Amino acid sequence: MPGIDFFTTTSQASPSPQVSSSDGHTGVYSNPRLDPKNYLDGPLSENAATRLRQMLARPGIVVAPGICDGISARVALETGFDCLYQSGAATTASRLGQPDLAIATMNDFVGAAQMVCAINPSVPVIADADTGFGGPINVARTVTQYARAGVAGLHIEDQVQTKRCGHLMGKQVVSREEFLTRIRAAVIARDSIPGGSDFVIIGRTDSAQVLGMEEALTRLRLAADAGADVCFIEGVKTAELLKDTVAALAPKPVLVNVISGGLTPSFTYHEAERMGAKIIIFSLVSCVAMAHGVREAMRSLKKTGTDLSTAKGLDPKAFFEVVGLNEVVEFDKMAGGSAFEVV
């Protein structure tokens, strides 16, 4: 069976995307089907990628807390968040017990995404894709695997393959052209998904701390021309720089990443919205809280010999309700089962 053709758009339902240049690489990408105006009206879609595009096209900032596993995803949804962010750093720490230093693979990230997206398939999940896990073909594989998993969009960056968390020092970035190759590969792969996909491509640059803000803005303008739907400068250090970034990249929506204690100030999402950002992600909100909570519980157990105080009354049944016990029982009942009449 032949592999997916990443170089031909298969959808016949809408005009084909166009790149207005003689060489097919240096012009401005245009896909009328994905014009934000097409997502302004009507109810929010049950398709997560379409819903994310609707949220981007309509007023209000998209707030996506970083999640790292099924528990954090469930709690974020329980709290009322309508978009989630699968943090690369948090996923690497949760699944591998390792730091964010290019240790996790595409399979690690896709496996995590499959689980998170299955909890509520209509809620958009934005996923970190690191550098795309290789060259253009690997970038394309990443997009198609994420889309199949139910991910609504990803961000892909310009660090070298031996990358590190964007809030660590010592980063290195690839050339402009190599970065744009990654963006083009992601866009071509998205447009090659049969039926026409609304998957969102977010171009991220880490070059602000390496080559300066002007180069970072230049890279993101070029990424937008190559088809990136959203722009993301990692490590914006001041409110003024965030405002300047939004103005320089308009009308493209801008994503801002907040990590307490990191390079970016701890903006609230209200402040970020006033500064013009369209998406804000809090990458480590769940895993940092988890580290504090688990450390406290373990120390208490070591000291007192029991976990009674740290359980705070959350017995096994109550805990399982956090991660969907009632939904499982109800589904079994709807199917005519009786396995959980007494739980």
PDB file of all heavy atoms in Angstrom, residues 151-164:
ATOM      1  N   VAL A 151      -5.555  15.782  17.851  1.00  0.00           N
ATOM      2  CA  VAL A 151      -4.971  17.064  18.229  1.00  0.00           C
ATOM      3  C   VAL A 151      -5.496  18.158  17.301  1.00  0.00           C
ATOM      4  O   VAL A 151      -5.651  17.943  16.093  1.00  0.00           O
ATOM      5  CB  VAL A 151      -3.425  16.982  18.163  1.00  0.00           C
ATOM      6  CG1 VAL A 151      -2.788  18.337  18.396  1.00  0.00           C
ATOM      7  CG2 VAL A 151      -2.911  15.967  19.180  1.00  0.00           C
ATOM      8  N   ALA A 152      -5.767  19.340  17.853  1.00  0.00           N
ATOM      9  CA  ALA A 152      -6.315  20.445  17.059  1.00  0.00           C
ATOM     10  C   ALA A 152      -5.232  21.269  16.377  1.00  0.00           C
ATOM     11  O   ALA A 152      -5.473  21.885  15.337  1.00  0.00           O
ATOM     12  CB  ALA A 152      -7.165  21.353  17.946  1.00  0.00           C
ATOM     13  N   GLY A 153      -4.040  21.296  16.955  1.00  0.00           N
ATOM     14  CA  GLY A 153      -2.960  22.085  16.372  1.00  0.00           C
ATOM     15  C   GLY A 153      -1.667  21.809  17.097  1.00  0.00           C
ATOM     16  O   GLY A 153      -1.651  21.250  18.203  1.00  0.00           O
ATOM     17  N   LEU A 154      -0.563  22.187  16.472  1.00  0.00           N
ATOM     18  CA  LEU A 154       0.755  22.000  17.092  1.00  0.00           C
ATOM     19  C   LEU A 154       1.608  23.236  16.867  1.00  0.00           C
ATOM     20  O   LEU A 154       1.328  24.070  16.016  1.00  0.00           O
ATOM     21  CB  LEU A 154       1.467  20.772  16.525  1.00  0.00           C
ATOM     22  CG  LEU A 154       1.774  20.669  15.027  1.00  0.00           C
ATOM     23  CD1 LEU A 154       2.882  21.607  14.551  1.00  0.00           C
ATOM     24  CD2 LEU A 154       2.164  19.245  14.672  1.00  0.00           C
ATOM     25  N   HIS A 155       2.655  23.363  17.689  1.00  0.00           N
ATOM     26  CA  HIS A 155       3.664  24.379  17.388  1.00  0.00           C
ATOM     27  C   HIS A 155       4.985  23.685  17.121  1.00  0.00           C
ATOM     28  O   HIS A 155       5.330  22.683  17.752  1.00  0.00           O
ATOM     29  CB  HIS A 155       3.780  25.438  18.490  1.00  0.00           C
ATOM     30  CG  HIS A 155       4.278  24.980  19.811  1.00  0.00           C
ATOM     31  ND1 HIS A 155       5.600  24.691  20.066  1.00  0.00           N
ATOM     32  CD2 HIS A 155       3.641  24.784  20.980  1.00  0.00           C
ATOM     33  CE1 HIS A 155       5.750  24.363  21.327  1.00  0.00           C
ATOM     34  NE2 HIS A 155       4.575  24.379  21.913  1.00  0.00           N
ATOM     35  N   ILE A 156       5.686  24.219  16.140  1.00  0.00           N
ATOM     36  CA  ILE A 156       6.955  23.630  15.703  1.00  0.00           C
ATOM     37  C   ILE A 156       7.991  24.746  15.659  1.00  0.00           C
ATOM     38  O   ILE A 156       7.704  25.871  15.246  1.00  0.00           O
ATOM     39  CB  ILE A 156       6.793  22.921  14.345  1.00  0.00           C
ATOM     40  CG1 ILE A 156       8.035  22.121  14.000  1.00  0.00           C
ATOM     41  CG2 ILE A 156       6.414  23.885  13.242  1.00  0.00           C
ATOM     42  CD1 ILE A 156       7.781  21.106  12.907  1.00  0.00           C
ATOM     43  N   GLU A 157       9.198  24.445  16.104  1.00  0.00           N
ATOM     44  CA  GLU A 157      10.162  25.496  16.405  1.00  0.00           C
ATOM     45  C   GLU A 157      11.420  25.433  15.545  1.00  0.00           C
ATOM     46  O   GLU A 157      11.580  24.521  14.720  1.00  0.00           O
ATOM     47  CB  GLU A 157      10.547  25.406  17.876  1.00  0.00           C
ATOM     48  CG  GLU A 157      11.315  24.138  18.216  1.00  0.00           C
ATOM     49  CD  GLU A 157      11.335  23.841  19.704  1.00  0.00           C
ATOM     50  OE1 GLU A 157      10.261  23.721  20.324  1.00  0.00           O
ATOM     51  OE2 GLU A 157      12.449  23.706  20.257  1.00  0.00           O
ATOM     52  N   ASP A 158      12.310  26.404  15.789  1.00  0.00           N
ATOM     53  CA  ASP A 158      13.534  26.514  14.991  1.00  0.00           C
ATOM     54  C   ASP A 158      14.791  26.175  15.786  1.00  0.00           C
ATOM     55  O   ASP A 158      15.904  26.543  15.379  1.00  0.00           O
ATOM     56  CB  ASP A 158      13.667  27.917  14.389  1.00  0.00           C
ATOM     57  CG  ASP A 158      13.701  29.025  15.431  1.00  0.00           C
ATOM     58  OD1 ASP A 158      13.540  28.725  16.634  1.00  0.00           O
ATOM     59  OD2 ASP A 158      13.870  30.203  15.043  1.00  0.00           O
ATOM     60  N   GLN A 159      14.658  25.473  16.902  1.00  0.00           N
ATOM     61  CA  GLN A 159      15.859  25.006  17.592  1.00  0.00           C
ATOM     62  C   GLN A 159      16.493  23.850  16.806  1.00  0.00           C
ATOM     63  O   GLN A 159      15.844  23.209  15.978  1.00  0.00           O
ATOM     64  CB  GLN A 159      15.525  24.525  19.010  1.00  0.00           C
ATOM     65  CG  GLN A 159      15.225  25.632  20.000  1.00  0.00           C
ATOM     66  CD  GLN A 159      15.383  25.164  21.433  1.00  0.00           C
ATOM     67  OE1 GLN A 159      16.480  24.790  21.859  1.00  0.00           O
ATOM     68  NE2 GLN A 159      14.297  25.202  22.196  1.00  0.00           N
ATOM     69  N   VAL A 160      17.752  23.570  17.121  1.00  0.00           N
ATOM     70  CA  VAL A 160      18.428  22.418  16.539  1.00  0.00           C
ATOM     71  C   VAL A 160      17.828  21.145  17.145  1.00  0.00           C
ATOM     72  O   VAL A 160      17.087  21.194  18.129  1.00  0.00           O
ATOM     73  CB  VAL A 160      19.948  22.473  16.801  1.00  0.00           C
ATOM     74  CG1 VAL A 160      20.560  23.683  16.101  1.00  0.00           C
ATOM     75  CG2 VAL A 160      20.252  22.515  18.305  1.00  0.00           C
ATOM     76  N   GLN A 161      18.159  19.986  16.559  1.00  0.00           N
ATOM     77  CA  GLN A 161      17.545  18.737  17.014  1.00  0.00           C
ATOM     78  C   GLN A 161      17.860  18.430  18.484  1.00  0.00           C
ATOM     79  O   GLN A 161      17.040  17.857  19.189  1.00  0.00           O
ATOM     80  CB  GLN A 161      18.002  17.571  16.135  1.00  0.00           C
ATOM     81  CG  GLN A 161      17.468  17.642  14.704  1.00  0.00           C
ATOM     82  CD  GLN A 161      15.949  17.565  14.649  1.00  0.00           C
ATOM     83  OE1 GLN A 161      15.343  16.720  15.272  1.00  0.00           O
ATOM     84  NE2 GLN A 161      15.336  18.467  13.896  1.00  0.00           N
ATOM     85  N   THR A 162      19.051  18.828  18.944  1.00  0.00           N
ATOM     86  CA  THR A 162      19.384  18.650  20.362  1.00  0.00           C
ATOM     87  C   THR A 162      18.843  19.838  21.151  1.00  0.00           C
ATOM     88  O   THR A 162      19.584  20.562  21.815  1.00  0.00           O
ATOM     89  CB  THR A 162      20.901  18.533  20.561  1.00  0.00           C
ATOM     90  OG1 THR A 162      21.541  19.635  19.901  1.00  0.00           O
ATOM     91  CG2 THR A 162      21.417  17.225  19.990  1.00  0.00           C
ATOM     92  N   LYS A 163      17.541  20.015  21.073  1.00  0.00           N
ATOM     93  CA  LYS A 163      16.881  21.199  21.629  1.00  0.00           C
ATOM     94  C   LYS A 163      16.752  21.100  23.144  1.00  0.00           C
ATOM     95  O   LYS A 163      17.056  20.077  23.754  1.00  0.00           O
ATOM     96  CB  LYS A 163      15.500  21.361  20.992  1.00  0.00           C
ATOM     97  CG  LYS A 163      14.554  20.201  21.227  1.00  0.00           C
ATOM     98  CD  LYS A 163      13.121  20.680  21.442  1.00  0.00           C
ATOM     99  CE  LYS A 163      12.999  21.373  22.772  1.00  0.00           C
ATOM    100  NZ  LYS A 163      11.622  21.773  23.085  1.00  0.00           N
ATOM    101  N   ARG A 164      16.267  22.175  23.728  1.00  0.00           N
ATOM    102  CA  ARG A 164      16.025  22.216  25.160  1.00  0.00           C
ATOM    103  C   ARG A 164      14.795  23.078  25.431  1.00  0.00           C
ATOM    104  O   ARG A 164      14.316  23.790  24.547  1.00  0.00           O
ATOM    105  CB  ARG A 164      17.236  22.786  25.898  1.00  0.00           C
ATOM    106  CG  ARG A 164      17.589  24.217  25.506  1.00  0.00           C
ATOM    107  CD  ARG A 164      18.972  24.601  25.998  1.00  0.00           C
ATOM    108  NE  ARG A 164      19.989  23.780  25.371  1.00  0.00           N
ATOM    109  CZ  ARG A 164      21.234  23.670  25.829  1.00  0.00           C
ATOM    110  NH1 ARG A 164      21.605  24.334  26.910  1.00  0.00           N
ATOM    111  NH2 ARG A 164      22.107  22.908  25.217  1.00  0.00           N
TER     112      ARG A 164
END
